[in-house]
Every structure is written in C-alpha cells, then in structure tokens.
Amino acid sequence: MTAPSDRTYNVLFLCTGNSARSILAEALMNKEGAGRFRAFSAGSMPVGRVNPHTRPILERLGFRFEDFRSKSWDEFAKPGAPALDFVFTVCDNAAGEVCPIWPGQPMTAHWGLPDPAAVEGSEAEIAAAFADTARMLTNRIRLFTSLPLASIDRLSLQTKLREIGRAADQAQIQAQPAR
C-alpha cells in the first residue's frame, strides 16, 4: 500500500483553446510539483496549436515546446484516461461550460486569469503579458502544492482551492493547514 506522502496527484488545467494559460499551468505544475503532481492540460474547443509566445517560458522551465499540444478535454473523460484528482479552469469561458464527467470525482476550482494571447501590442508587451500570467500561475501552484493534501479534510481543501483562485494577489493567501 502506498503511503499518502508517496502519492502522485493528477491535475488537469482547462481553458477554452488550450493554447496558452492551461499549457503554462501544465508545465509549471509539472516543474513545481516535481513528482508529487502530474499535470495535464486541455480545452473545451482546442485551437489545435500551442501559442508560440509560450515557447520562451516553457524552455526556461526546461521543457521542449514541441512536447506540448493543444487537445480536447474529451481525452480525459475516456476510458483509460488518467484518474484525475484535481481539475482547475484557468479561463472564465471554460468555467461556465458544461464539463464532461471526470472519472474519479476530482476536486474542482476556478482559477481564472486574463488571456495573454488576447493582448495586442509590441512583442515586449505580449511577452510581458505571458510572463505575468506565468507569475500568477506560479504563485497559485506554489500555494496549492504547499497544502497538506494527505491530512486536510475535503471541505476545507475545497475552500482553500477556491481561495487560491479568487485572490487577486496570491501573496494575500496563507497556505496554512485547515483547522
């Protein structure tokens, strides 16, 4: 039997197009979670390509841009898909859509962020928007990965997940064990 601390949690990040925010979240969680978490990303209406402005961030994290793809959330509702422990929406459109039934009854929360792919302007302005999104996701993911998942009750954990997603400035949230 596996000890709770040895468990790997599967996390799915959802967005509509699965080209920027959810891709960044997948990479950041896999980096920050380092074996304790295994992240995936998908979209309700995937655009079929990863936004090229994610490349510098993915490569700084040690990933190859080519290892990421825009895919449908249907892949994770099929038989044989990884059993999900957590599902986070990172865009407001995906949060309002009817999601598939996820195997394993994962905990869900909305962690909405502005879409850096919608930013218009110079290359520097676009790069800054993507960097800002990555920073916000990193803050949320660090708070999440610091939660005592093996010892916190489900209701308290759900509350913490929602708090992480609602905070405008993630430094305001203290990732403390629930009482």
Side-chain angles (χ1 to χ4, degrees):
M1 188 141 190
T2 305
S5 61
D6 293 339
R7 176 156 185 228
T8 300
Y9 295 94
N10 289 326
V11 181
L12 177 62
F13 290 97
L14 297 176
C15 203
T16 304
N18 188 219
S19 71
R21 289 170 284 188
S22 52
I23 295 286
L24 291 173
E26 174 185 1
L28 288 162
M29 177 62 83
N30 281 325
K31 184 72 167 187
E32 293 289 328
R36 189 167 162 230
F37 295 89
R38 184 171 56 165
F40 307 94
S41 67
S44 58
M45 293 181 287
V47 297
R49 63 172 180 74
V50 176
N51 188 298
H53 291 100
T54 63
R55 181 186 291 269
I57 297 167
L58 296 173
E59 290 177 349
R60 265 196 309 277
L61 292 169
F63 295 102
R64 291 175 1 119
F65 177 77
E66 296 77 17
D67 290 340
F68 293 85
R69 66 185 177 88
S70 176
K71 58 202 156 301
S72 174
W73 63 13
D74 292 336
E75 288 188 26
F76 297 92
K78 293 180 179 176
L84 301 171
D85 298 294
F86 300 94
V87 176
F88 299 115
T89 52
V90 292
C91 71
D92 293 333
N93 289 344
E97 294 175 343
V98 177
C99 294
I101 303 298
W102 307 113
Q105 299 177 329
M107 301 206 62
T108 63
H110 178 58
W111 289 2
L113 297 165
D115 185 1
V119 171
E120 295 180 6
S122 69
E123 284 297 314
E125 291 168 321
I126 293 169
F130 274 81
D132 196 41
T133 297
R135 179 192 54 78
M136 289 185 283
L137 284 166
T138 299
N139 289 341
R140 292 174 186 201
I141 287 167
R142 285 180 177 164
L143 287 167
F144 171 66
T145 59
S146 71
L147 293 172
L149 299 179
S151 62
I152 191 170
D153 67 86
R154 194 166 172 91
L155 184 58
S156 297
L157 178 56
Q158 185 66 63
T159 299
K160 288 287 189 189
L161 297 178
R162 287 187 182 129
E163 287 174 0
I164 290 170
R166 279 195 303 255
D169 179 358
Q170 294 307 311
Q172 297 172 2
I173 297 177
Q174 299 295 317
Q176 303 171 7
R179 295 174 204 195

